[in-house]
């Protein structure tokens, strides 16, 4: 019996009533994967920010960028959407690393434009290609009134980024550790964690050891709902990416069908990993 097809068929059955398209990539980091539409192209939305972070650390490792350099919020960086920099106003000055951190943890769009401006669009795309993400492109800065597209990626590319972070091989072990720490602070992980046992996610409230944590970056636009990252369990880590498109409801809310069905698939994978003590299959 093909065990991989068994799990894929369980996911397909879960998604049978979902009026949209979900692609899935899971890597248990032990040589087993689940791949459903893994090479399908998706609008990135804010998941492109993870690639921008990686490009920043690659350039910093070469001395072509500095995490400590100050950059300034200029009028041309303004964009609507998520983030906190709008509250500070034009002229705010931040270290590059601080802007990049805000770009990830609260998905700050203005901070993202500041980092894109600092590195350069062509440089970011060259770094993305060099790091092996052959099907990922940052098309434009974030200006939704000017550009229709932000970026393009695939579940396989996005999973590869997080797998390299988990293994300590994205740029370097030190850079991977710093990026992991940033991804762990990311606020918007409802699709991955909504159906997880909350007791194990909130050690500050329960006083119990933090047995499960997530390091991730999500992204939502009218055309897509994406999430992906590293899930830590008592048996180690695994990587999961869920990307959605072709749904009918473009409004963003936590009970959006893509979030509901994504959370069910994410919990199914968690249960499988726990049952097999850190692997997808035994």
């Amino acid at each position: 019996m093909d065990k991989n097809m068994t799990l894929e068929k369980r996911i397909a059955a879960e998604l049978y009533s979902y009026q949209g398209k979900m692609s899935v990539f899971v890597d248990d980091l032990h040589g087993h994967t689940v791949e459903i539409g893994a090479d399908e192209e998706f609008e990135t939305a804010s998941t492109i920010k993870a690639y921008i972070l990686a490009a920043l650390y690659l350039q910093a490792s070469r001395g072509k960028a500095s995490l400590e350099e100050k950059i300034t919020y200029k009028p041309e960086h303004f964009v609507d959407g998520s983030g906190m920099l709008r509250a500070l106003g034009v002229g705010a000055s931040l270290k590059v690393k601080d802007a990049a951190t805000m770009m990830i943890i609260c998905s700050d769009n203005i901070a993202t434009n500041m980092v894109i401006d600092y590195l350069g669009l062509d440089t970011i795309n060259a770094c993305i290609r060099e790091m092996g993400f052959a099907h990922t492109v940052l098309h434009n800065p974030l200006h939704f009134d000017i550009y229709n597209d932000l970026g393009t990626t695939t579940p396989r590319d996005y999973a590869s980024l997080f797998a390299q972070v988990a293994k300590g091989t994205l740029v370097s072990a030190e850079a991977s550790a710093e990026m992991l720490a940033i991804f762990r602070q990311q606020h918007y992980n409802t699709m991955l964690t909504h159906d997880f046992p909350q007791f194990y996610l909130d050690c500050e409230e329960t006083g119990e050891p933090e047995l499960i944590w997530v390091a991730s970056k999500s992204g939502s636009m009218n055309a897509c709902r994406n999430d992906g990252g590293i899930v830590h369990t008592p048996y180690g880590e695994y990587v999961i990416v869920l990307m959605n498109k072709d749904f009918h409801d473009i409004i963003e809310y936590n009970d959006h069908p893509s979030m509901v069905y994504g959370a069910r698939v994410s919990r199914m994978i968690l249960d499988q990993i726990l049952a097999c003590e850190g692997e997808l299959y035994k």
Side-chain angles (χ1 to χ4, degrees):
M1 181 176 65
D2 187 335
K3 295 181 180 178
N4 190 53
M5 284 303 296
T6 299
L7 184 53
E8 288 182 354
K9 286 179 178 177
R10 287 170 55 203
I11 294 172
E14 187 65 54
L15 296 178
Y16 185 79
S17 299
Y18 174 43
Q19 295 183 335
K21 180 167 188 177
M22 183 185 301
S23 289
V24 179
F25 194 104
V26 184
D27 183 351
D28 67 6
L29 306 177
H30 293 283
H32 307 121
T33 62
V34 170
E35 304 179 21
I36 301 172
D39 297 310
E40 184 89 16
E41 289 192 345
F42 284 80
E43 164 62 54
T44 60
S46 288
T47 60
I48 195 66
K49 297 170 185 178
Y51 296 103
I52 297 171
L53 184 71
L56 171 62
Y57 271 89
L58 181 60
Q59 287 297 88
S61 74
R62 295 168 167 169
K64 296 182 178 180
S66 170
L67 298 174
E68 299 301 313
E69 188 174 345
K70 290 285 188 74
I71 54 176
T72 301
Y73 168 21
K74 301 174 183 177
E76 58 265 32
H77 297 144
F78 176 79
V79 59
D80 284 322
S82 56
M84 301 172 59
L85 273 176
R86 287 183 300 167
L88 300 183
V90 172
S93 181
L94 293 86
K95 291 181 180 179
V96 171
K97 183 178 181 181
D98 292 340
T101 299
M102 293 181 69
M103 174 179 71
I104 299 297
I105 66 171
C106 62
S107 206
D108 196 296
N109 286 341
I110 292 172
T112 303
N113 279 342
M114 291 168 66
V115 177
I116 293 172
D117 190 32
Y118 176 69
L119 292 173
L121 189 73
D122 291 342
T123 295
I124 291 169
N125 281 319
C127 289
I128 287 172
R129 290 191 298 272
E130 182 180 340
M131 288 183 287
F133 310 121
H135 302 284
T136 300
V137 180
L138 171 63
H139 298 299
N140 303 292
L142 279 74
H143 289 298
F144 305 121
D145 55 337
I146 301 174
Y147 307 115
N148 292 325
D149 299 321
L150 174 57
T152 303
T153 193
T154 65
R156 189 184 305 277
D157 271 9
Y158 206 45
S160 176
L161 182 148
F162 283 106
Q164 291 180 58
V165 170
K167 295 173 183 177
T169 59
L170 188 59
V171 181
S172 67
E174 180 181 2
S176 292
E178 289 194 20
M179 286 186 276
L180 177 66
I182 294 171
F183 287 126
R184 283 191 64 178
Q185 299 177 71
Q186 204 261 141
H187 292 175
Y188 309 114
N189 55 25
T190 300
M191 190 184 298
L192 296 186
T193 67
H194 184 273
D195 288 0
F196 281 11
Q198 296 300 309
F199 180 87
Y200 298 112
L201 286 168
D202 201 350
C203 60
E204 291 182 0
E205 293 294 331
T206 64
E208 297 294 324
E210 189 175 38
L211 296 181
I212 299 173
W213 52 254
V214 174
S216 62
K217 182 71 193 84
S218 58
S220 296
M221 288 176 64
N222 288 351
C224 67
R225 300 287 188 276
N226 304 327
D227 210 344
I230 301 162
V231 179
H232 171 85
T233 76
Y235 300 108
E237 287 80 46
Y238 66 93
V239 170
I240 180 170
V241 171
L242 307 173
M243 293 189 169
N244 295 267
K245 62 182 179 180
D246 298 339
F247 44 76
H248 303 295
D249 188 350
I250 66 171
I251 300 173
E252 294 189 29
Y253 54 99
N254 283 344
D255 289 332
H256 188 278
S258 63
M259 307 294 277
V260 172
Y261 281 92
R264 291 177 184 174
V265 172
S266 182
R267 177 60 189 264
M268 184 186 300
I269 297 299
L270 175 67
D271 289 346
Q272 182 84 3
I273 291 285
L274 294 178
C276 295
E277 300 182 337
E279 299 183 42
L280 285 167
Y281 309 107
K282 280 292 189 184

